[in-house]
Amino acid sequence: MSTMPGARVVPVWRSRLSLGSAMAALVVLPLIPGVLATGSIAGLIRIPVESLMALLVLALIPWRMLRLAVATAFGAIVAVAVLLASIDRGYEAALGIHFVPLDWAQLGDAYGVVASAIGAAPAGALFTAAAALIVAVGVAGGAAALRVDTALRRRGDRGRAALAAVTVAWIVMAAVAPPLRLPDPVAAAASTGSISSAVSRAVSALETRARVAREVADDPFMDVPAADLLTALEGKDVLFVFVESYGRIALEGDGISDGVNDVLRGGDEMLEADGYTTRSAWLTSPTFGGLSWLAHATLQTGVWIDSQAVYDLVVHTDRLTLSAAFGRAGWRTVSDVPSNRHPWEVGSTFYHYDTLLDATNVGYRGPSFGYARIPDQYTLKHFADRVLAASSRPVMAEIDLVSSHTPWAPVPQLVPWDDVGDGSIYDAQPARGPQASEVWKDPETVQRSYGKSVEYAWGSILSFFENVDDPNLVVVLLGDHQPAAIVSGDDASRDVPISVIAQDPAVFDAMADWKWTPGLRPSDASPVWRMDAFRDRLFAAFGSGR
């Protein structure tokens, strides 16, 4: 081989290594979305149509700059497909749902949860590494397409024949897969499939929004005077208490339920001794593993709100919420969300609460317990002292107890009710218990820690009942969703427990036809309602037309 004087000679082995790496990248990178979707490394033994299409288009273009643009577009498509597949995989693992591109805003909340679990610095480093990896996939894909195209051009007819042969092979294998009922054909379209699935979910979400808009407008209770909807609750303090991640698994899961059920049995005895009656059942939540606000909005509106896109639609309507109905009927309405640290506009514009309590205005001076910064016992003590005891009107409130929010570590410990103070009594607690980074090394440890967090939540609730003397109290206590799959399992239901706790027998007379189970623990025979059924059943049971 002759070379021009001064020209750099590339060793044959290096040229072959470069070409081999480029060919491997063209095969592997477009298949990654399929591997993420199935969880099987066998998905890499495929022929990706995206790479074939890119090489075919490049072979037809004589201009180098246009080839560069096509290769860049190919790399970008593969990178976007990997990004979408990665996010979707995360959503399935944590929430049991597929990611809808219309819900990009949720990613910020997901980052916040990760930061709470492992710390802001590691979470930032993880995010940066993930972003760099996606960019690297795009760059590597484009560069690989150009490198293989260059090699095929140098081989002239032999190169074109090789490309044609592989293309024909892909077409044949794609054609025979359906008749042979091959579940995993060698002919793959993983990247285009990932993008098309995301687009399909977005279109479906838009169709769902249109259906929900019609449902929101068709509200049978919108024009009923609010007082007529809540007649049987007149003069009652009505609290809707959501316990974060309190799902069916808490009462039935191996290694989890024993401690929780012990607390509930003790709670039944204590409440009965104090003159309370309890009835329980199951609700099916619209969400799983997270996105708690979707469950809260579903209960409040009687609309099935299972995505951020639907939520954003509903909260910009005049749909009648429970809080708005109670407010119109004369109750003082309060939202107590200790995980909120920023203004919550929807609380005023949609839910129409009179008072919005959050982490910034409840006087907490204690330590942070991760995502669930404020312990549940403090939340309930502050509410009892500063809202319930101080109000001149009956109170309706939604109280969110978040100590059982992932990552379930560190878990607060109960303190004497009268010693809660400004929360500084908790100062030494976070360092004494296991930290999230330690707990999350092992799934069984995560499950045990989750169970302990639910036990703590219930301990806080029972201490509230022990120390609050209010014969007009009616508490509707429920979970918002099941915990993530690492606790609930891959095939878990979306059922959560719900209990009504009160002293006045008239409350239970009004809901007698619900046929709920006595006690704090629903049984297998207890009714199971969709969560969106609750609002209308409450209005029907306690309204003057019942």
Side-chain angles (χ1 to χ4, degrees):
M1 177 187 299
S2 63
T3 60
M4 295 182 61
R8 181 183 177 189
V9 178
V10 178
V12 173
W13 68 267
R14 184 176 298 177
S15 177
R16 290 177 177 174
L17 178 62
S18 171
L19 179 59
S21 300
M23 293 175 66
L26 276 188
V27 171
V28 171
L29 296 181
L31 295 174
I32 291 176
V35 173
L36 291 170
T38 63
S40 172
I41 198 72
L44 295 178
I45 309 173
R46 304 286 186 271
I47 301 175
V49 70
E50 299 85 2
S51 295
L52 288 177
M53 293 299 297
L55 292 175
L56 288 170
V57 172
L58 289 171
L60 298 174
I61 300 174
W63 305 285
R64 177 170 176 75
M65 291 304 298
L66 186 54
R67 292 201 301 272
L68 178 61
V70 169
T72 301
F74 165 73
I77 289 171
V78 173
V80 168
V82 172
L83 174 63
L84 290 172
S86 300
I87 296 173
D88 192 54
R89 183 67 174 174
Y91 264 58
E92 281 196 281
L95 306 176
I97 60 174
H98 288 287
F99 172 66
V100 178
L102 298 179
D103 296 343
W104 282 106
Q106 292 176 354
L107 298 180
D109 297 301
Y111 175 79
V113 171
V114 173
S116 297
I118 66 175
L126 183 64
F127 173 80
T128 301
L133 184 61
I134 295 298
V135 172
V137 166
V139 172
L146 285 176
R147 177 68 181 88
V148 173
D149 174 66
T150 299
L152 292 174
R153 288 173 181 275
R154 286 176 178 170
R155 286 161 176 77
D157 291 341
R158 287 187 301 161
R160 288 188 288 273
L163 179 58
V166 176
T167 302
V168 170
W170 188 96
I171 294 171
V172 170
M173 287 183 287
V176 301
L180 296 179
R181 297 182 179 180
L182 298 177
D184 297 310
V186 175
S191 288
T192 54
S194 175
I195 294 174
S196 65
S197 293
V199 171
S200 177
R201 290 194 296 271
V203 171
S204 178
L206 291 173
E207 293 172 347
T208 299
R209 291 187 62 169
R211 175 185 56 76
V212 170
R214 294 190 295 270
E215 182 181 348
V216 167
D218 184 22
D219 187 349
F221 295 100
M222 188 63 191
D223 297 326
V224 178
D228 293 345
L229 295 174
L230 303 164
T231 308
L233 292 171
E234 185 176 356
K236 305 293 186 189
D237 292 314
V238 184
L239 312 183
F240 295 88
V241 180
F242 278 96
V243 179
E244 174 67 40
S245 301
Y246 178 44
R248 191 161 189 153
I249 195 70
L251 306 184
E252 299 178 350
D254 293 339
I256 299 171
S257 61
D258 288 348
V260 175
N261 285 321
D262 285 344
V263 173
L264 295 183
R265 279 189 287 269
D268 281 332
E269 295 173 1
M270 186 208 83
L271 290 169
E272 183 178 3
D274 289 344
Y276 286 96
T277 299
T278 58
R279 294 289 185 271
S280 299
W282 305 103
L283 295 183
T284 301
S285 175
T287 184
F288 179 96
L291 312 181
S292 305
W293 56 93
L294 305 185
H296 301 181
T298 295
L299 187 90
Q300 285 253 12
T301 63
V303 176
W304 188 253
I305 301 175
D306 60 355
S307 71
Q308 186 67 34
V310 173
Y311 176 87
D312 291 340
L313 168 68
V314 174
V315 298
H316 289 94
T317 69
D318 60 356
R319 178 76 177 190
L320 181 64
T321 61
L322 290 173
S323 52
F326 276 94
R328 293 178 191 176
W331 273 261
R332 178 192 174 190
T333 58
V334 180
S335 164
D336 195 342
V337 188
S339 57
N340 275 3
R341 303 183 187 185
H342 304 286
W344 185 40
E345 182 181 352
V346 170
S348 300
T349 61
F350 178 65
Y351 289 106
H352 301 290
Y353 286 113
D354 298 320
T355 303
L356 298 172
L357 299 177
D358 58 33
T360 68
N361 61 4
V362 293
Y364 182 68
R365 299 292 182 268
S368 173
F369 286 84
Y371 177 88
R373 179 175 182 267
I374 300 177
D376 290 346
Q377 191 181 26
Y378 181 92
T379 296
L380 291 168
K381 178 70 161 65
H382 178 273
F383 179 84
D385 292 349
R386 302 300 176 88
V387 178
L388 205 55
S391 181
S392 59
R393 290 185 288 158
V395 173
M396 174 271 171
E398 179 187 315
I399 305 173
D400 298 346
L401 301 182
V402 296
S403 291
S404 48
H405 193 290
T406 183
W408 308 301
V411 178
Q413 301 300 308
L414 293 172
V415 300
W417 183 260
D418 292 333
D419 294 345
V420 171
D422 65 358
S424 56
I425 191 173
Y426 299 105
D427 281 346
Q429 287 194 8
R432 289 204 296 256
Q435 303 302 300
S437 57
E438 177 183 351
V439 166
W440 280 75
K441 291 179 180 178
D442 173 60
E444 291 187 1
T445 307
V446 174
Q447 293 160 12
R448 286 195 299 271
S449 191
Y450 162 76
K452 294 296 183 184
S453 74
V454 175
E455 292 175 38
Y456 168 78
W458 263 109
S460 299
I461 293 159
L462 295 173
S463 70
F464 170 83
F465 279 104
E466 270 190 306
N467 290 279
V468 172
D469 183 16
D470 182 359
N472 290 316
L473 190 62
V474 177
V475 174
V476 179
L477 189 144
L478 68 156
D480 48 11
H481 53 70
Q482 289 261 56
I486 191 173
V487 174
S488 296
D490 293 329
D491 300 318
S493 75
R494 295 194 173 200
D495 293 347
V496 299
I498 180 170
S499 300
V500 174
I501 308 168
Q503 293 188 20
D504 188 352
V507 171
F508 300 97
D509 291 342
M511 53 181 281
D513 64 349
W514 292 5
K515 302 186 184 306
W516 285 17
T517 302
L520 295 174
R521 189 190 188 284
S523 69
D524 289 340
S526 300
V528 182
W529 300 350
R530 286 201 349 166
M531 195 173 283
D532 57 341
F534 183 83
R535 187 205 70 157
D536 292 6
R537 288 181 182 252
L538 180 81
F539 287 157
F542 293 94
S544 57
R546 68 189 191 282

